[in-house]
Amino acid sequence: MELRTVAAVLAAAGAGLAMMYANAKLAMLREHEAAICAEQDGSGPDIFFISDIHRRRVSRELIRKAGGPFDAVIIGGDLAERGVPESRIRRNIMRLAALGPLYYVWGNNDREVGEALIRSAISDAGGTVLDNESAVLMAGPVRWVLVGTDDTSSFNVDVDQAFRNVRRGDAVIFISHSPSVFEMLGQKDPEVRMAGHTHGGQIRLGRFGMLEKGRFRSDNGKVELVSNGYGTSLVPLRLGAPAESHIIRLRAKKK
């Protein structure tokens, strides 16, 4: 192969890597609206959802664009990973907490920085760790309840424990880090399901990727979100699966 050809190939490869690196530093703020089926009409919560932050810094620009205040700010796991400084973890949490009441579920990488650190940082920001727990977001004609489980990597997912305080007629927003937990719900059928973990495959060639691309679906009064996530893992590169966070505006519509 001629030197000019080699140089051209290397230049193209370098440009491709530079583009994927730049893509990983961007983040789309997606806005969604959806109605769930309930026993009565009613307003619902405005939610900010972000997952898979990993090593990334939550930018002031993202917080400014998101606006708020929100009824719930949900961190859908993988807030951090091994090697992320405590100062960055705490700064990210405090920035997100400025948008509204903070709720968090464990990801598969979070405990690498120490469970005590994560619990302390969430608590110091006034947040709540939903490890097989629930929290009432809004009461009224329709009671909106947030339900979250531990991550599958902990071997501690307990769906029955998480749902123990849910009543008949509640509008349930279910949060897990991995969408695989959706398959563990059994007879439970929450109105809203949210997860991250997959990064949308992170690097995709057209329709093809290691994992399914993120999605938002609203159909027949049920809502499902699987986010591409905000950060990256293994390599700081993205292609075809943009980094994202989400604003979800929910309401209840009588069956």
Side-chain angles (χ1 to χ4, degrees):
M1 186 180 295
E2 293 184 2
L3 285 177
R4 283 181 297 180
T5 303
V6 172
V9 170
L10 291 175
L17 288 172
M19 180 188 68
M20 288 190 284
Y21 182 78
N23 285 344
K25 299 301 180 183
L26 301 175
M28 303 182 71
L29 180 58
R30 300 193 186 275
E31 297 194 38
H32 317 277
E33 294 187 5
I36 60 100
C37 290
E39 295 182 353
Q40 300 184 58
D41 290 339
S43 60
D46 291 343
I47 293 172
F48 180 85
F49 180 84
I50 188 169
S51 69
D52 302 282
I53 297 170
H54 288 281
R55 307 188 68 84
R56 194 168 179 188
R57 294 174 175 84
V58 174
S59 69
R60 289 191 179 92
E61 182 183 7
L62 174 63
I63 301 303
R64 180 186 60 78
K65 284 183 177 179
F70 296 94
D71 298 295
V73 176
I74 300 170
I75 303 174
D78 279 359
L79 164 66
E81 63 180 38
R82 183 178 290 106
V84 179
E86 178 177 349
S87 59
R88 186 181 308 167
I89 295 169
R90 289 184 176 275
R91 187 181 304 115
N92 283 344
I93 290 172
M94 293 305 295
R95 286 184 177 174
L96 291 168
L99 295 174
L102 188 72
Y103 299 90
Y104 161 84
V105 295
W106 294 101
N108 57 295
N109 292 113
D110 287 320
R111 287 184 170 96
E112 294 172 3
V113 298
E115 183 170 333
L117 167 56
I118 296 290
R119 289 189 182 277
S120 171
I122 295 291
S123 176
D124 289 349
T128 301
V129 178
L130 294 173
D131 42 5
N132 304 317
E133 295 289 347
S134 63
V136 177
L137 290 186
M138 296 176 67
V142 177
R143 193 174 88 136
W144 294 81
V145 180
L146 187 64
V147 176
T149 66
D150 205 332
D151 184 63
T152 54
S153 61
S154 71
F155 302 100
N156 188 42
V157 175
D158 191 331
V159 170
D160 289 336
Q161 173 77 5
F163 276 81
R164 71 189 184 282
N165 293 322
V166 173
R167 305 178 200 162
R168 184 184 179 280
D170 284 348
V172 175
I173 303 166
F174 178 74
I175 312 296
S176 63
H177 176 58
S178 172
S180 66
V181 180
F182 297 168
E183 300 171 6
M184 302 169 66
L185 291 172
Q187 297 295 316
K188 296 174 176 61
D189 189 19
E191 285 70 24
V192 182
R193 308 175 188 208
M194 298 184 191
H197 181 58
T198 68
H199 296 206
Q202 194 165 306
I203 297 175
R204 309 183 63 83
L205 297 175
R207 296 184 296 108
F208 302 101
M210 292 292 291
L211 294 167
E212 188 177 356
K213 193 172 181 179
R215 62 186 184 270
F216 178 85
R217 297 172 181 163
S218 177
D219 187 43
N220 294 323
K222 300 290 184 179
V223 178
E224 183 174 296
L225 167 67
V226 178
S227 177
N228 288 340
Y230 185 70
T232 58
S233 63
L234 299 180
V235 293
L237 305 173
R238 278 189 180 269
L239 180 67
E244 59 188 12
S245 56
H246 308 264
I247 295 171
I248 308 103
R249 305 189 190 281
L250 297 168
R251 59 186 176 87
K253 186 176 180 181
K254 190 173 181 179
K255 298 175 184 177

